[in-house]
Each structure stands twice: as structure tokens, then as C-alpha cells.
Amino acid sequence: LAFSGGLGAAAPSARPEDVGLSSKRLERIGELVQRHVAAGSFSGAVALVARNGRIAQHEAYGLMDLETKKPMPKDGIFRIMSMTKPIIGVATLMMIEEGKVRLTDPVSKFIPAWKDMTVGVAMPGGPGARGGGAPPAGGRGGAPEPRYYTVPIERELTIRDLLTHTNGVVSGPISQSANRAVAAKPTETLADYIPRLGKVPTEFQPGTRWAYSAAAAWDTLSRVIEVVSGTPIDRFVKQRIFDPLGMKDTTYVEPAGNPRLVKLYSRTADGLRPASSPGFMNGVYFSGGG
């Protein structure tokens, strides 16, 4: 998702003291952001503080493009990545409110291929035996593949498990490794990939642990919403969330060529370097977690 800090145009401004804030204390925000810009943590940022519906501070810092030295605009459009999750969380709660989904519903109610899943168990002493969080996307940096066996799942995964990161879906070395064999291809949609994901062993028995599911659980929730609403997830969030809230610049499709699109950089040993948007931002696969 790409996001614009357009709130400044929608809400009235106020002196910090008029809304119970301290002008002196708010200066610390700019000082902190400037320290990060100077240290090369990121090229620039936009900070906005509002209280009681009135904006007390709205400032841009640093640059949106290091190569051209273009200053960061207050209405810059950013790739918000994992902040897609709370949006899909809202969409899921809307379906719960409408009685189309329950927190206790098994995922297989909506995606039958998720019936009779398995759980991966690391073999003693082998790679992956210690478990842990998910490795970085795109591979394990040359680490050996985990050795594991599978056991039946003790209870079905539920919507609650997906929402609370207690699901074990692609959230550790075993599930990450198994998922690479079924990962979505460049032209595939959620409807193509999510049923295959049900054949990937989870990292642990549902509800027994917390482990961050970086994308897969939220992609699954997106597919559930598509099934129960009868609407593709990109259209659903636009019609039901973005349009009603006036979020006219928020979209799954990167607005290429838009002069407000902030340039993407990666932190490297040699400083910030230009980076490409992730391959899943292709206008076909609408990731609920990315």
C-alpha cells in the first residue's frame, strides 16, 4: 500500500498549547528525526501530531530523493508495507460485525484446502531445531535447510489465530522452507496461492505460541474477505474503507510517475542506496501483510 499524509488538508490546525500540548516538547520530534536523517537511517520523513481532531504539528524533514536533493514534501506518498495489516484487520472486523465471519471460525470453512493441516517438528540437533522467528524474506542467507518431520494439527486454525500471530503460518524456519516450494508466481492471485498454503506445515500447534507471520496469515485473511464478501480485496478496501475516509492516495498499486512518490532506499554498509519496490507490488497479488 502507498500512503499519503493528506490529513493536513482535512483537519484544522491549532497552536500546540490550545490542544494541551507543549511546543517545546514537540520540538524533540524534529530533533530526533533530524538525527536519524543525519545518521543515514532514512532519507527523510513526515511527522504529524494531532489531538482532539486538530493538528498541532505537521512537518517534513530531509529529502524525498537524495540524488536530486528534492526536499521531502508534507504530502509525500510512502510505501507503508506492514501497515497493510491493520487495514486488513479492520476489513476482517467489518465482516465479523456483519455476521459473515466469527473469530472462532476455522479457516477451512472459507478455504477448504486448509482442512487437515500439519505441523512441522524440527529434528533434534538439526537446522531449525531451536525454532525462532521468521528469517528475512527472500532466503535464509545460505543457512542449511531445516530438517523436520510433520505431525497432525491438534485443532484447526481459526480466524483469531490469523489475527493474533498465534498461527505458525510461514513464521519460522520450517514453514519458510516449505513455503518456498509453493510460493506465488508473478502472475498469480490470492485465489491461486492461498489454497496451496494450506499444505505448508505450520511452525507450531495453533494457539500455543506467538510468532510474527510477516505476510502469509494476512494474505490468508485477505482471501477470506474476498470469499465472504464476493469482492476482490483491492476493491473491497477501496470501496469500504479508503473512499469513505477520503484516503484518495492509498492504493495497492504504486503510483509510478507521481511527483509525490517518495524514492525508496535500502540501508547498506555503504549508506542508503536506491531500491526497487518488492515484486509482489504488481497489481495482481494484493498482499494483506506487505
Side-chain angles (χ1 to χ4, degrees):
L1 286 159
F3 169 75
S4 163
L7 179 59
S13 298
R15 291 178 59 252
E17 283 70 21
D18 291 342
V19 290
L21 297 173
S22 164
S23 297
K24 193 68 176 174
R25 288 296 188 94
L26 289 177
E27 290 176 3
R28 296 183 181 186
I29 294 173
E31 293 167 0
L32 173 65
V33 174
Q34 294 286 20
R35 286 201 299 270
H36 278 286
V37 171
S41 299
F42 41 75
S43 65
V46 178
L48 187 150
V49 179
R51 190 177 191 209
N52 298 329
R54 301 167 73 190
I55 295 171
Q57 185 185 54
H58 187 192
E59 298 293 341
Y61 308 91
L63 303 173
M64 70 178 297
D65 188 318
L66 294 173
E67 286 67 41
T68 64
K69 308 298 183 185
K70 186 175 180 181
M72 179 68 71
K74 290 183 179 180
D75 62 351
I77 297 176
F78 294 79
R79 299 155 190 82
I80 63 174
M81 298 304 170
S82 281
M83 292 309 293
T84 313
K85 292 181 177 71
I87 294 171
I88 295 303
V90 167
T92 304
L93 294 176
M94 293 170 97
M95 296 296 90
I96 291 172
E97 188 175 54
E98 294 176 11
K100 296 177 180 177
V101 176
R102 292 184 176 90
L103 287 173
T104 54
D105 279 340
V107 179
S108 65
K109 177 178 178 180
F110 313 103
I111 306 169
W114 279 51
K115 190 84 173 173
D116 302 321
M117 295 178 72
T118 60
V119 177
V121 180
M123 292 183 179
R130 296 184 55 150
R140 291 176 53 81
E145 291 294 315
R147 295 173 58 242
Y148 65 93
Y149 59 94
T150 61
V151 298
I153 205 162
E154 293 176 356
R155 69 159 173 82
E156 289 203 54
L157 275 166
T158 66
I159 298 299
R160 186 194 301 274
D161 294 324
L162 295 181
L163 284 167
T164 57
H165 294 281
T166 57
N167 51 75
V169 178
V170 193
S171 56
I174 292 173
S175 50
Q176 286 274 359
S177 174
N179 182 60
R180 285 196 280 275
V182 302
K185 299 175 179 61
T187 58
E188 289 191 316
T189 66
L190 291 169
D192 297 319
Y193 166 62
I194 297 302
R196 294 202 305 266
L197 183 58
K199 303 306 178 186
V200 172
T202 63
E203 204 69 27
F204 46 83
Q205 292 289 351
T208 62
R209 282 176 49 193
W210 186 97
Y212 189 62
S213 182
W218 297 85
D219 292 1
T220 304
L221 284 167
S222 296
R223 180 56 188 157
V224 169
I225 293 164
E226 290 186 335
V227 170
V228 300
S229 70
T231 307
I233 191 64
D234 60 319
R235 287 209 323 235
F236 181 96
V237 294
K238 182 179 190 304
Q239 294 169 0
R240 298 291 304 274
I241 299 176
F242 301 154
D243 285 351
L245 293 176
M247 297 169 67
K248 58 185 175 59
D249 292 317
T250 308
T251 172
Y252 281 97
V253 181
E254 185 180 84
N258 190 312
R260 291 164 47 214
L261 181 63
V262 176
K263 192 166 183 177
L264 185 63
Y265 293 94
S266 290
R267 285 197 296 265
T268 73
D270 298 319
L272 294 175
R273 292 291 180 266
S276 300
S277 291
F280 62 76
M281 293 181 70
N282 58 12
V284 176
Y285 188 88
F286 301 111
S287 175

